[in-house]
Amino acid sequence: MASVMQIFLGKRLTPEEQIKKWRQTVRVQEREIDKNMRAIDAEEMKAKRVLKQAAKRNDTASCKILAKEIVRSRKAKDRMYTSKAQLGSLVMCMQHQLATMKIAGTLQKSTDVMKIVNNLVKLPEISATMQEMGAEMMKAGIIEEMMTDAIEMGDEEGIEEEAEDEVNKVLFELTDGLLGEAPGVGADLQHQKEQPEAQEENLDDMASRLAALRA
């Protein structure tokens, strides 16, 4: 009868097996974050190239659009780096749980694990997986509660107020100081000979791709 119930309900994992499963899940999430960061890096490189092309044409409006997308992408990567560090801390906590279980015989409640999981649940890139893992940890008795209503969807609302200086820094950085300072400095670009482009990338498409990667 027990074997029949296991078929329908699934095999009940031992604490060791459960921790191993969680660690594997964390590793998968770390690889996914690495993949997302590489994709953002690739799109950012394209955006930088197109921005420099726009600067040669003295197209300040396009430069600002691309610079703003680069700023947002860098902020998204910063969040991903933070999440990777927290995932690493979670693995260390699990290893501690495994060592403690060998002595106590059971998994122990951990406020550290609860804090880390609640922080990771806020990150859009891994929120769904962390909510599922958190629910499993609640059943296992490791954590007591989990936040599910405070997911951070990025910094889009505050970007206008706080990013103007950062946008100017990106413009200054990528145009060797020709943009990002005085409004009329773009006139200094007119002496440069414009190079014909075989096919310029659509700014809206590029912005959409960067936004999709950040999500």
Side-chain angles (χ1 to χ4, degrees):
M1 177 63 71
S3 60
V4 175
M5 292 298 293
Q6 287 179 353
I7 293 175
F8 285 100
L9 300 179
K11 179 184 176 183
R12 184 180 181 84
L13 299 179
T14 65
E16 294 93 336
E17 291 172 334
Q18 184 66 75
I19 289 178
K20 182 179 179 181
K21 176 177 177 287
W22 290 334
R23 289 170 63 182
Q24 289 173 339
T25 299
V26 168
R27 296 307 184 196
V28 169
Q29 295 306 302
E30 288 177 331
R31 289 194 293 271
E32 188 64 24
I33 288 174
D34 286 336
K35 178 182 176 182
N36 288 339
M37 287 194 293
R38 287 193 299 270
I40 288 177
D41 284 337
E43 288 298 325
E44 185 177 321
M45 288 298 294
K46 292 179 183 178
K48 289 178 179 179
R49 176 170 54 81
V50 177
L51 189 153
K52 291 178 180 180
Q53 293 170 357
K56 288 182 179 181
R57 301 191 307 273
N58 199 20
D59 185 354
T60 305
S62 295
C63 287
K64 287 185 177 180
I65 292 173
L66 289 164
K68 184 173 291 187
E69 290 302 322
I70 290 171
V71 168
R72 286 173 171 165
S73 295
R74 289 177 178 178
K75 287 181 178 292
K77 284 195 297 181
D78 287 343
R79 289 200 309 272
M80 291 181 188
Y81 279 119
T82 299
S83 67
K84 272 199 69 177
Q86 291 176 330
L87 285 169
S89 297
L90 186 58
V91 169
M92 292 181 63
C93 287
M94 291 178 187
Q95 291 171 339
H96 179 72
Q97 280 280 342
L98 196 57
T100 302
M101 190 200 63
K102 291 179 180 179
I103 299 174
T106 59
L107 296 174
Q108 304 295 306
K109 281 186 172 60
S110 172
T111 56
D112 289 336
V113 171
M114 184 171 67
K115 289 177 182 178
I116 294 171
V117 171
N118 280 333
N119 285 334
L120 291 170
V121 164
K122 300 176 185 178
L123 297 164
E125 297 84 3
I126 59 176
S127 178
T129 300
M130 295 313 303
Q131 286 189 51
E132 181 179 348
M133 183 184 293
E136 292 174 351
M137 288 180 172
M138 288 177 67
K139 291 180 180 178
I142 296 179
I143 64 177
E144 293 181 347
E145 57 183 350
M146 183 177 62
M147 294 185 298
T148 59
D149 58 351
I151 298 175
E152 294 179 355
M153 298 309 293
D155 52 358
E156 302 297 325
E157 292 183 1
I159 192 75
E160 297 298 336
E161 294 80 4
E162 70 181 50
E164 192 64 32
D165 288 343
E166 295 179 58
V167 169
N168 285 329
K169 287 178 183 178
V170 169
L171 288 170
F172 188 83
E173 167 195 342
L174 298 180
T175 62
D176 295 325
L178 294 176
L179 291 178
E181 290 188 321
V185 75
D188 294 337
L189 294 171
Q190 292 179 353
H191 71 281
Q192 299 184 36
K193 182 179 179 180
E194 293 187 7
Q195 298 295 326
E197 304 295 338
Q199 185 174 3
E200 293 182 5
E201 301 209 34
N202 185 281
L203 295 180
D204 291 337
D205 289 345
M206 179 167 291
S208 296
R209 287 200 300 272
L210 284 168
L213 289 170
R214 292 196 302 271

